[in-house]
Amino acid sequence: MSFDNMTSNWSKLRVRHPQPDQYKDAPYKWGMVIDLDACTGCNACTTACYAENNLPVVGKERFLGGQQMHWIRIERYWGEGTESTQEFPEQGAQFLPMMCQQCEAAPCEIVCPVGATHHTPDGLNSQVYNRCVGSRYCSANCPYKVRYFNWFDYPESAWPSPLEQQLNPDVTVRTKGVMEKCTFCVQRLTEAKSKARTEKRTVRDGEVLTACAQACPSSAIHFGNLADPSSQVAQMWKAQQVELSAYPQKKNEQEETERLGGQVELVPYPQNKSEQNVETEQLGESGEKLRGYRVLEDLRTYPSVVYLERIRSTEA
Amino acid sequence: MTPHTHDDHEHEVATEARFVIKPKDINEEISWAQINEDVLGSLERPRPLFWVIFFASLAAFCWGVYCEIYQYRTGLGVAALENPQVWGLYIATFIFWIGMSHSGTLLSAILLLMHADWRKPIYRFAEAMTTFSLMTAGLFVLVHLGRIWQFYYVVAYPNERWAWPNFSSPLVWDATAIGTYLTTSIIFLYFGMIPDLAICRDKAHGFRRTFYRVMSVGWKGTDWQWANFRVTYLTLACLLIPLAVSVHSIVATDFAVSQQPGWHTTSFPPYFVAGALYSGCAAIVTLFIILRYTFRFEQYMTIPILEKLAKLTFAISMVWTYLNVVEYASVWYGTDPYAKQALIFRATGTYAGWWWAMNILGSVVPFAMTFKAVRTNIPAMMVVSLLLNLGMWTERFMIVTPTFAHGYYPWTWTGNWWPNWVQIGVIVGSFGWFTMLFMLFCKIFPSVSMYEVKEMVYHRIRARKKAATQRAPVAQPAQS
Amino acid sequence: MSKKSYVLALFNDFEEAAHAIAALRESRLKGFRMQDVTLKSPIDHPECAAELGDRPVYIQLFSLIGAVLGSSLGFLAISSAQSNFLRQPRGGFPIVPVPTNMVITYELFILGSVFFTIIACYVVFALHAQKNRLYSVAISVDKIGILVKADPAAVDGLKDIFTRYHALEVSESS
């Protein structure tokens, strides 16, 4: 049985991912767009993630010791070589919410010795807690370092009675020795998909949101189904000319201008040019630049999160 | 007859007046009965240093066990590991122990194929060192896991969930390779000991006799036994060499396959193998000196052999230095900005002191061995070998830690991570475990191969006689 | 089959033992065959044992069989395990990658060869073990022994040959 299985599916077993149009016929491919221009660094997304996914609060000492457990973290950058001279240190900082990028060619998936991390058909990088033996090779190989290891058994310290009552019953509470990371709130996705299946349809755009997308007060985080061309994230990816399985991205300013049907009107660049992770800056129609990029794309991890570069001046 | 205790710097036989008196690797006039007696005597009455070392290593092992139990019960967080420094000293020392294990293969197998018979008195304990190094490395594989009790997930065993390990992961390749190497090493060590165990059986009494009789599987020294033994031993040696090279190459792919800066180098497999041979050779020198004194092996582990070992270590150190410099040069003159950043961080960052120490200990200190005065001086060689091994351990540390500290993502850079007492305690415990096992081995099994020493002596006498009869009859060799 | 006696002669010198074996071969003594003559020595003596005639060793054939079996079974097992039953897709890599399989096949090839070599050697030891019973502990020190399985009638003739070549001790058993 299994030998036939192997021979009949041989072509599928030998194909490398990602492929162009890999998700053309798939019902779901979850992706995100995060608008750094709208992000104020308020940490509402982080808090929502803690609440939704049973993340333990490790305490100040352990946090400063590097043993944090925040699946989504707000990073602050001030530009290379500049020191903040403002009254409040955060002034002038650019905020970047960073979580697991659900890479299509994830460096973490191939190195787990026991096979605790895989790629799901809907394009998520899955972490199987009960298979993980804690070798931490996945975290060693992750370029973004968005994988968090359970260094201790947290329940007693993080949720003393009666705080355990607020835990989300849809999400496992992880034991010590297990690796965890952002799952794009897979418990919500599963519930939404299951509900949609009973109603014999696919999940509609906006019907399911991750906790961070739901909590963001400035709607900086957009979440949706990239396989559905009419979804908001798919349209934003297309507008920014970012393709899931392409590197380098072929961005065409002229085409963009023609697509938008207008004259090119130049918009002054921000004075502070040394913004983090700038790939290309191109101008399209006024106010709408091709400012979408993926972090550390040259490592060819093909992440599923596009960040929209900040436009407003850092003085604000 | 009391065992010999005199020092034997030069045991000379003047052949002709115009030939320079050269110290011999071994006293060829030694009687075979004496060989048996010396080696068997070492099993019974070692010097008191043996007991000192044994109990000290037992204490170190117990301390390591305590640290590990604390870590097991509380979680890996007590070992000061953090995001992104997730591997710490455990992986560095794991690679160190695997590296040490290549020494035995080098001496037993590679020098066997090269017909270097000076290896004969010393390869037994080197092979034992290989086996116990691998066992110690295996400890670290377990200790560094988050959920040790489920370590067997790495093995492809039939289970109801039909879940296999991830064969693409270098850690699974490690498990296969190290498992194979450990099995083969134990087989090779035991098999090579069979004629010696027969000698022990013949001289033992009581339950020891039974033990050795079982272990020597009916060895009587018959010609068909010897013929088959020789062929088997040679075949195993030929198989062991590519295996040893592949094992450390696979361990190197743990890093080379990853895309992290500072690791993604194709020169890692040969670099690791060279480093392994290097640290193994240095460790052999250390153990040579310890065993020579503790078990009264001055007749067998002679200074000329120590000299040859020192020369071998020096040669390997130069190979390692070359590969090291090639790695630096290819990064420095290359175009990969991440790798260059990683190299600059290693040389000038938090761990710069250790990096420079590694390079000096690994590349400069070996030059001390170019002086004959150092090579033939036992305390000097002890110090040099320990320094070399310290340098190699530091090399492993410098491979693992700075890449975590200074990876691709600036937000994750940590400039001040250092291990704590739990990690260091487990490392000390591993050294205790290794030394304890090794000392036990030397007390139960002959750590000098008696039959090989007899062969060495026999073939040298024959060669000497043959050379003498072929020479002009004018100058007759002084025979005793 | 008539009852056989065993004669063990101990020599100090390998050359004398070699000459004694040559003498045995050239002698016209009846009652024993050259293949019943065994040499027992503390170290390997291929030149001495060569006097006994051609006794081929088949170990390396088994090494080869083990290598082929180990590598092929290992390769089949690993490559099929990756795709049988539960398929575990990972991004960036095929589910059945070739280099992975090569690495593991290589290790198993060596392991298979080692196991078969050792088993072959032990089988050989076991097969030959019953025949020779006489042994002296001096053999493990520095004496060389020649063991002959012969008819009791030939024993005296054998003893003559041995004493002619300065045998230290000749013992007999049946």
Side-chain angles (χ1 to χ4, degrees), chain A residues 139-194:
Chain A
S139 168
N141 218 17
C142 176
Y144 312 97
K145 300 286 186 242
V146 281
R147 283 176 155 271
Y148 300 94
F149 188 70
N150 283 276
W151 300 107
F152 298 97
D153 258 334
Y154 293 112
E156 294 97 41
S157 58
W159 305 297
S161 175
L163 282 180
E164 81 276 4
Q165 302 290 331
Q166 52 93 17
L167 291 172
N168 187 348
D170 292 335
V171 177
T172 323
V173 172
R174 282 78 58 191
T175 175
K176 69 175 189 290
V178 163
M179 190 64 83
E180 61 184 38
K181 64 175 186 68
C182 165
T183 57
F184 275 3
C185 288
V186 67
Q187 65 279 6
R188 295 185 174 199
L189 302 178
T190 312
E191 198 185 321
K193 286 195 304 189
S194 150

Side-chain angles (χ1 to χ4, degrees), chain A residues 19-32:
Chain A
Q19 303 273 310
D21 291 333
Q22 183 182 334
Y23 291 101
K24 191 157 63 86
D25 300 319
Y28 305 104
K29 160 61 196 160
W30 305 108
M32 254 193 199

Side-chain angles (χ1 to χ4, degrees), chain A residues 212-233:
Chain A
C212 48
Q214 187 186 10
C216 178
S218 51
S219 305
I221 302 182
H222 308 270
F223 177 81
N225 181 4
L226 286 174
D228 173 11
S230 61
S231 70
Q232 186 190 32
V233 291

Side-chain angles (χ1 to χ4, degrees), chain B residues 38-112:
Chain B
D38 280 344
V39 177
L40 291 176
S42 78
L43 298 183
E44 310 239 333
R45 1 168 236 286
R47 290 205 167 100
L49 180 64
F50 170 82
W51 296 109
V52 171
I53 294 179
F54 181 73
F55 284 111
S57 57
L58 184 63
F61 176 60
C62 291
W63 171 243
V65 168
Y66 168 74
C67 290
E68 168 56 23
I69 290 180
Y70 174 51
Q71 181 184 282
Y72 179 90
R73 296 188 57 170
T74 323
L76 276 164
V78 300
L81 292 172
E82 57 176 50
N83 185 23
Q85 290 281 0
V86 292
W87 272 354
L89 294 189
Y90 294 141
I91 292 288
T93 316
F94 160 72
I95 299 167
F96 173 76
W97 283 114
I98 302 269
M100 277 253 275
S101 72
H102 277 52
S103 56
T105 313
L106 169 67
L107 240 61
S108 303
I110 300 177
L111 290 182
L112 171 75

Side-chain angles (χ1 to χ4, degrees), chain B residues 311-334:
Chain B
K311 289 181 193 168
L312 181 64
T313 310
F314 177 73
I316 296 175
S317 79
M318 290 300 107
V319 172
W320 177 84
T321 303
Y322 165 70
L323 287 168
N324 203 19
V325 169
V326 154
E327 197 203 318
Y328 298 154
S330 58
V331 165
W332 188 251
Y333 294 107

Side-chain angles (χ1 to χ4, degrees), chain A residues 30-165:
Chain A
W30 305 108
M32 254 193 199
V33 175
I34 298 184
D35 189 351
L36 297 180
D37 201 43
C39 178
T40 57
C42 68
N43 273 290
C45 49
T46 312
T47 317
C49 183
Y50 267 82
E52 171 73 19
N53 293 297
N54 300 339
L55 261 51
V57 174
V58 299
K60 184 172 179 183
E61 200 189 301
R62 284 181 182 171
F63 193 99
L64 290 174
Q67 291 171 348
Q68 36 330 46
M69 298 299 289
H70 45 222
W71 289 4
I72 179 168
R73 60 189 188 224
I74 301 293
E75 299 167 358
R76 302 174 298 173
Y77 298 100
W78 281 269
E80 195 179 332
T82 56
E83 264 187 52
S84 173
T85 50
Q86 311 282 352
E87 186 189 345
F88 301 103
E90 286 75 21
Q91 267 184 302
Q94 181 178 215
F95 304 104
L96 186 90
M98 172 57 63
M99 70 302 231
C100 173
Q101 306 282 290
Q102 316 288 347
C103 310
E104 281 297 305
C108 56
E109 287 168 7
I110 22 166
V111 292
C112 172
V114 291
T117 170
H118 307 286
H119 222 70
T120 65
D122 35 340
L124 294 178
N125 175 294
S126 66
Q127 178 71 24
V128 183
Y129 302 130
N130 49 7
R131 181 75 176 164
C132 177
V133 288
S135 74
R136 309 182 297 292
Y137 200 166
C138 51
S139 168
N141 218 17
C142 176
Y144 312 97
K145 300 286 186 242
V146 281
R147 283 176 155 271
Y148 300 94
F149 188 70
N150 283 276
W151 300 107
F152 298 97
D153 258 334
Y154 293 112
E156 294 97 41
S157 58
W159 305 297
S161 175
L163 282 180
E164 81 276 4
Q165 302 290 331

